[in-house]
Amino acid sequence: MYNWLLGGKDNYVVDRQAARILLQLVPNYGELVRSNKRFLWRVVRLLAEQHGVKQFLDHGVGLPAQVNVHQIVQQVDSNARVVYIDNDPMVLAHGRALLEENDETAVIEADVADTEAIFGHCEVQRLIDFERPVAALFVSVLHCLPDRADPVGMVRRVARRLAPGSFVVVCQLTSEDAQVRSQVTEFMRGCVGTWGRVRRRCEVAACFDGMDVLAPGLVEVSSWRPGPGESVPASHACQEYGGVGMVR
């Protein structure tokens, strides 16, 4: 569904049908998906260029896009290293074909909530030096995780294991309207079975406890340092909400 909304070709009829129904529930969802991807691009470029981050852990990467994290950060530093994490067989098959372009990138199979397995994976240990700053990305993935996976606790566990000066990037689908949260959550669970839920902004904010949040703070992601010519859409009942925290 996400791939189709981004204009990709790696999707099926059932994905397109479900996405069209979702657009009836959340008319701006396609806009949210696109602005979320641009948020990711802006963040990783800023972290690489202005903060010198050379190591990235992308939790729940999803299907490859036209522009991916390693392509952005390796333009800044060809030695920058990126590990993509997912447990979807289709994502893994496509990802390994398209994302492992050089020795500084890897795609690993793991549950994003299993921090021990991720940090202990041989490819993570090969590529990532946890004595140095790392950017841990949780972009549009937490709403896919049920509460029993403790997504807030997962983010905090990862942050605790990162060196000072590391960064944590989080955004997820939110709404302050209880009816919208319920309708979208019920629909998505019906589509994919195990899914998380649309959450409130305060639940996203809880991920950043103990971190220094970069300006402009936690916002609807199209408002996070938009580039020249990037418009900030009007507020809607559903938003991709989040920001960037620096580990102390």
Side-chain angles (χ1 to χ4, degrees), residues 17 28 56 117-118 147 220 235 247:
Q17 291 173 338
N28 69 315
F56 294 78
I118 291 169
D147 288 340
E220 193 281 317
S235 179
V247 177

Side-chain angles (χ1 to χ4, degrees), residues 6-242:
L6 283 171
K9 298 179 181 179
D10 298 313
N11 52 76
Y12 296 99
V13 172
V14 66
D15 302 318
R16 299 190 285 274
Q17 291 173 338
R20 291 188 182 102
I21 296 172
L22 180 59
L23 287 172
Q24 294 174 12
L25 291 174
V26 187
N28 69 315
Y29 197 77
E31 186 178 81
L32 292 181
V33 166
R34 292 185 291 274
S35 67
N36 177 69
K37 187 61 70 174
R38 290 192 293 269
F39 164 72
L40 172 64
W41 296 338
R42 292 195 303 274
V43 166
V44 297
R45 182 172 294 279
L46 178 138
L47 294 181
E49 287 183 341
Q50 298 187 23
H51 295 275
V53 179
K54 300 181 180 181
Q55 306 182 106
F56 294 78
L57 283 175
D58 191 349
H59 294 75
V61 57
L63 287 169
Q66 291 180 331
V67 181
N68 300 286
V69 170
H70 73 283
Q71 293 165 324
I72 295 173
V73 300
Q74 289 176 358
Q75 286 179 352
V76 179
D77 186 331
S78 60
N79 295 315
R81 297 179 167 190
V82 180
V83 177
Y84 298 100
I85 304 155
D86 214 299
N87 63 354
D88 184 309
M90 182 180 293
V91 168
L92 294 167
H94 282 265
R96 285 170 177 154
L98 298 174
L99 299 178
E100 293 183 329
E101 294 184 338
N102 52 60
D103 289 340
E104 279 70 48
T105 65
V107 180
I108 70 168
E109 179 177 5
D111 184 335
V112 295
D114 192 345
T115 303
E116 289 297 324
I118 291 169
F119 275 64
H121 194 283
C122 60
E123 285 290 79
V124 173
Q125 293 184 341
R126 177 178 72 87
L127 289 171
I128 305 298
D129 177 0
F130 288 103
E131 298 298 315
R132 302 176 64 190
V134 176
L137 311 178
F138 301 90
V139 176
S140 204
V141 66
L142 299 190
H143 51 241
C144 300
L145 301 178
D147 288 340
R148 65 176 179 273
D150 187 18
V152 173
M154 172 192 69
V155 174
R156 290 176 174 175
R157 285 195 303 274
V158 171
R160 285 196 297 268
R161 298 185 65 158
L162 301 180
S166 294
F167 294 87
V168 174
V169 182
V170 175
C171 68
Q172 86 138 73
L173 195 61
T174 66
S175 179
E176 299 305 295
D177 184 318
Q179 183 175 0
V180 170
R181 291 199 303 272
S182 176
Q183 287 178 335
V184 177
T185 297
E186 182 179 354
F187 172 75
M188 289 302 298
R189 286 177 178 172
C191 286
V192 299
T194 301
W195 200 72
R197 60 183 173 90
V198 180
R199 295 184 171 90
R200 300 187 65 188
R201 291 193 294 267
C202 62
E203 295 179 89
V204 177
C207 294
F208 294 93
D209 284 358
M211 288 184 247
D212 296 323
V213 178
L214 272 59
L218 303 183
V219 294
E220 193 281 317
V221 297
S222 66
S223 302
W224 200 93
R225 306 192 190 191
E230 289 188 299
S231 61
V232 178
S235 179
H236 292 275
C238 262
Q239 298 184 335
E240 279 276 1
Y241 180 82

